[in-house]
Amino acid sequence: MRETRILEFKETITNTFLKTVSAFSNYNGGTILFGVDDNGNVKGLPDVKQACLDIENKINDSISPQPNYTLEIQNNDQTIKLTVKSGLQKPYLYKSKAYKRNDTATIEVDTLEFSRLVLDGKNISFEELPCKDQELSFKILQCKLKENIYIETFNQDTLKTLNLYDNINGYNNAAGLLADKNHFSGIDIVKFGENISIIQKRVTYEHISVLEIYEKALAVFRDYYQYEVIQGADRKMVEKIPEAAFREAIANALIHRVWDINSHIRVSMFDDRIEVVSPGGLPAGITAEEYLSGKLSILRNRNLANVFYRLGLVEIFGTGITRIKQLYAESLIKPEFEVSENAIKIVLPIFETNVNLTEDEKVIYKFLSKTMLKPISEIAPYVPFGKSKTTQLLKAMEKKGVIAVEGKGRGTKYIIN
């Protein structure tokens, strides 16, 4: 065994475990094993029944409000398992401070994180708080509602129906995000050339409606990843990357990101892929596995998501990741998803379907690049064939014209045509 974000070992009982109880209660819960050293070895406790009483008394006397936990004696009365559940009355404080897990360490939360816990404890999201801007206009939202769902009348009652306004607090932050002009950050788009030292285009869209940001991002996408071909008397639009996948990635970034920090969604465009990075990790109550599999969806900005849903821009039930995967079902190279504590990254590769490749060749193809020459030493370790067969398969792919080969001997490198 080893320690993780939701598992901690304590060889003895000292007050330091109370910080971890605070952290587990404030976030996704977790387990503390007493009588186990840092390497996961069972050392045992001299008197487990008394130890249980000590743990219980320390928690009851030191953590406020009362956390939800259970104690269990294990390993032939040698160790104690303390299971702490995520609480509803956040923040859970130890000595007037709130804590969180940072990988396998427990640290005090900062001021911003503390305010998020307070809101979470009140079941209030940032988007529901009153917007600091109360002189707002909604021409873009009005136009979209008229175009997409044929709403002709737009007034304060419309905004109330969309949960963007109430008579007591006025406009909330969700309204601010949808307003024509606002104080919020937006999206930063960079189109790179052959490498990251060559920037072909850079644009930043901020302080405008998220609906306008969405449309402007799509316009940049179309400039670089769509083109027309003439087939006889017809014109056909060709997509290097499925527009539907890019739409999902941008919409998800806009409606699921945290908006209480001044940080842009970052879109990096390359010849062979697009990377979309949105600020803020997953909301509490959902794991990376649940998010990536589509088993569970928790809306961080439910009012904003509702507007996008009504306009037909997203599916509200958290199917974005699943839809992106489905759009790439026939592609040789699949999209990638990375979830960290403070960001979510989606990588959309160029859509590749080469029916001339064998199944073994397709496996190798996934590890090649259109922009970077790769030697056999950067390919063979990642495929299940061995160096000799990998080399043979690469030669076969060269004969088919799928890849190009440069150099000789140890200097031989491969690249996708």
Side-chain angles (χ1 to χ4, degrees):
M1 290 191 299
R2 64 180 182 85
E3 290 187 317
T4 67
R5 183 183 291 269
I6 58 172
L7 176 64
E8 182 165 281
F9 303 143
K10 292 292 182 183
E11 190 170 346
T12 59
I13 300 171
T14 62
N15 286 346
T16 56
F17 87 89
L18 294 166
K19 295 179 180 179
T20 306
V21 173
S22 164
F24 287 160
S25 298
N26 284 326
Y27 293 92
N28 294 323
T31 300
I32 303 175
L33 297 180
F34 294 93
V36 179
D37 68 15
D38 291 342
N39 296 317
N41 301 312
V42 174
K43 297 297 183 179
L45 296 167
D47 186 344
V48 290
K49 290 185 179 180
Q50 182 59 48
C52 278
L53 290 174
D54 291 343
I55 294 169
E56 187 174 356
N57 288 333
K58 286 178 181 293
I59 294 174
N60 294 343
D61 293 343
S62 304
I63 305 292
S64 178
Q66 184 72 36
N68 186 354
Y69 67 93
T70 57
L71 289 166
E72 181 184 352
I73 296 174
Q74 296 184 328
N75 293 311
N76 297 319
D77 294 347
Q78 291 188 79
T79 63
I80 297 171
K81 178 182 179 182
L82 169 62
T83 303
V84 183
K85 294 183 179 180
S86 177
L88 299 176
Q89 297 175 286
K90 300 166 186 173
Y92 290 83
L93 308 178
Y94 169 59
K95 291 187 175 180
S96 302
K97 296 178 180 179
Y99 292 85
K100 69 174 182 177
R101 294 287 279 177
N102 183 12
D103 196 15
T104 61
T106 301
I107 61 173
E108 184 182 350
V109 303
D110 58 22
T111 304
L112 175 60
E113 195 67 26
F114 189 89
S115 66
R116 289 174 178 169
L117 287 172
V118 172
L119 290 177
D120 196 13
K122 295 178 180 179
N123 196 28
I124 300 173
S125 64
F126 174 77
E127 65 157 7
E128 295 172 315
L129 293 176
C131 185
K132 71 178 185 180
D133 304 319
Q134 289 294 315
E135 297 295 326
L136 301 175
S137 64
F138 299 93
K139 292 181 180 178
I140 294 169
L141 176 59
Q142 181 179 359
C143 181
K144 291 293 182 184
L145 289 171
K146 185 176 181 180
E147 286 178 1
N148 295 306
I149 51 179
Y150 311 110
I151 292 180
E152 296 291 341
T153 303
F154 185 90
N155 51 35
Q156 210 166 77
D157 288 334
T158 311
L159 295 170
K160 287 180 180 179
T161 301
L162 295 173
N163 294 317
L164 304 177
Y165 180 89
D166 68 60
N167 292 331
I168 298 174
N169 298 307
Y171 298 116
N172 57 27
N173 283 324
L177 288 164
L178 290 159
D180 300 327
K181 302 292 181 182
N182 56 50
H183 67 277
F184 293 104
S185 57
I187 193 168
D188 186 36
I189 304 176
V190 180
K191 175 62 175 70
F192 294 99
E194 294 180 359
N195 56 63
I196 59 174
S197 300
I198 301 173
I199 296 178
Q200 295 178 341
K201 182 172 184 173
R202 180 165 192 170
V203 288
T204 301
Y205 303 118
E206 59 184 355
H207 310 317
I208 58 176
S209 171
V210 290
L211 298 173
E212 188 175 4
I213 290 174
Y214 175 81
E215 292 296 337
K216 287 182 177 294
L218 282 178
V220 176
F221 167 85
R222 289 166 181 154
D223 283 343
Y224 292 104
Y225 298 97
Q226 291 182 353
Y227 61 93
E228 285 188 343
V229 294
I230 299 174
Q231 296 179 341
D234 299 324
R235 289 177 177 269
K236 181 183 178 182
M237 180 63 69
V238 177
E239 297 180 334
K240 294 182 180 180
I241 291 175
E243 180 178 306
F246 183 74
R247 284 176 175 271
E248 289 287 348
I250 294 300
N252 271 275
L254 288 168
I255 64 177
H256 290 299
R257 63 158 289 178
V258 292
W259 284 102
D260 55 1
I261 57 173
N262 187 25
S263 179
H264 290 90
I265 295 166
R266 190 174 75 247
V267 178
S268 302
M269 295 180 166
F270 303 88
D271 289 341
D272 64 341
R273 71 192 186 280
I274 296 176
E275 299 178 358
V276 180
V277 180
S278 55
L282 295 175
I286 182 172
T287 66
E289 181 185 1
E290 290 167 336
Y291 170 75
L292 296 176
S293 67
K295 293 177 182 176
L296 180 64
S297 176
I298 296 178
L299 294 175
R300 176 176 274 127
N301 304 298
R302 63 178 75 100
N303 294 332
L304 188 60
N306 179 54
V307 172
F308 270 66
Y309 171 70
R310 286 172 179 257
L311 294 175
L313 303 179
V314 296
E315 295 286 344
I316 201 168
F317 300 112
T319 58
I321 299 301
T322 302
R323 285 198 66 200
I324 290 173
K325 290 179 179 179
Q326 290 173 346
L327 289 164
Y328 276 87
E330 302 300 321
S331 178
L332 290 173
I333 304 176
K334 306 298 183 183
E336 298 176 11
F337 308 92
E338 297 178 19
V339 178
S340 64
E341 183 178 359
N342 297 309
I344 295 175
K345 179 179 178 180
I346 298 176
V347 181
L348 303 176
I350 295 292
F351 195 93
E352 296 280 1
T353 55
N354 197 317
V355 294
N356 295 323
L357 297 180
T358 67
E359 291 303 313
D360 287 349
E361 290 168 349
K362 288 179 180 179
V363 172
I364 292 177
Y365 188 91
K366 295 176 183 178
F367 293 95
L368 297 173
S369 169
K370 279 193 170 184
T371 57
M372 185 182 300
L373 288 160
K374 289 189 176 184
I376 191 71
S377 61
E378 293 182 13
I379 304 169
Y382 303 101
V383 297
F385 307 124
K387 186 176 178 180
S388 177
K389 183 177 179 180
T390 300
T391 303
Q392 292 176 2
L393 291 168
L394 286 165
K395 288 180 179 178
M397 293 164 72
E398 180 193 9
K399 288 181 179 179
K400 293 179 180 180
V402 177
I403 65 172
V405 181
E406 294 189 16
K408 294 182 178 180
R410 292 186 177 182
T412 303
K413 294 183 179 181
Y414 306 90
I415 192 169
I416 296 173
N417 274 328

